[in-house]
Amino acid sequence: MSQAAQRRNKLRSQLKKQGLDSILVTDVRNVSYLSGFSGDSSYLFITAKNTIIISDFRYLQEIADECSDIDSVIRSSTDSMIKVSAKLIRKSGVSNVALEGDSLPLAIAEAIHTKMPKVDFVTTSSIVEKLREIKSRSEVALIRKAVYAAQRAFGVITSSLTKDQTEKEIAFNLEHQIRQFGGRGTSFDPIVAVGSQAALPHATPGNQTIADADFVLIDWGADYDCYLSDITRTMVTGKVTAKYRKVYNTVLQAQQRAIKRIKPGAIMSKIDAAARGHIANAGYGKYFGHSLGHGIGTYIHESPRLAENQHIPLQRGMVVTVEPGIYLPGWGGVRIEDDVLVTRNGHEVLTNLPKKLEECILEV
């Protein structure tokens, strides 16, 4: 049985527990996760006994090569996904259908329902995403490759950094280097923020140059075969001030405290509290306003979340980021982020770029 088939059976068990006959999977990454299909613009209809991919002529070969163990319905260029999906659901005879409420536009859901008023459509949340929280060995292997591409690219960028380089140039160069090391590209638009721009957690790279300040925050990741990495380092490119040293070491210590607590059964909110409490005790509590971390996989932000309101345990196989930060308006910010796998007895930090302050000083 293929890995995708095993995942579909787990999903069927979840549907049965909730009294659901079937599900129309419309999120492109969930379709891929449950079928092995690498294309897009396709749906997956799963019942207790059957799985059918709804696609079009462009993907005939991919369907044959990647998901030959499921049935397919190929719509014509004149038939809409709504029309074909409704016809398939009607033919199946199911009494209810789960819909992916987190990704399916309301207009499409209503249009499908209008064609079949006697079928009960149930809006669900994260029913597939919950399955995706636990990564298989093959998924972890792909995330490792995404980490490798991202770290090698970063090494090239930092070793060749010059004072006249702009934030935009660094961001563009990161993507080029990631492709050089086997990645499909970046896992998101890189954040490159010099000096005071680093006070913006999701700053957009601009025309500021490395020479404009004494440090630069870089948040980037690689896409390797649709699995993603997410890393942040804040690098000194000029003088290390006493203020910078205090802020940087506070963030580093907060991250270390949190990572140390990661293991199966650890409560996510308590891991967040370990980092958040340390930053607060140093006097910077109000300058750390986002959650501590999030899951990664085929999306850059997946469940679970390491956050104050997540009173649930970590499980073996989860991969999460740990990324505390301090952001001081008008001065700048420091964030340090690593990707961490929850293992049988603890954790493994998948990323291994240096992060002690003395190791993050560049000669430019």
Side-chain angles (χ1 to χ4, degrees), residues 26 39 48 52 61 65 67 87 100 118 174 193 200 202 208-209 260 277-278 285-286 297 299 305 308-309 315 339:
T26 51
I52 304 169
Q61 192 60 54
D65 292 342
C67 42
K87 182 179 179 180
E100 294 189 289
K118 293 184 179 180
L174 270 170
L200 307 175
H202 277 192
Q208 292 88 349
T209 68
K260 183 179 180 180
H278 183 75
K286 68 178 182 179
Y299 282 114
R305 292 175 58 240
E308 294 177 277
N309 64 345
Q315 299 179 58
D339 302 338

Side-chain angles (χ1 to χ4, degrees), residues 11 14-15 18 20 22-26 30 96-104 121-129:
L11 177 59
Q14 291 300 314
L15 293 173
Q18 298 183 37
L20 298 169
S22 62
I23 184 170
L24 184 65
V25 182
T26 51
N30 288 345
N96 60 54
V97 181
L99 299 177
E100 294 189 289
D102 297 321
S103 58
L104 183 65
F121 287 90
V122 180
T123 300
T124 63
S125 177
S126 302
I127 192 167
V128 179
E129 285 78 3

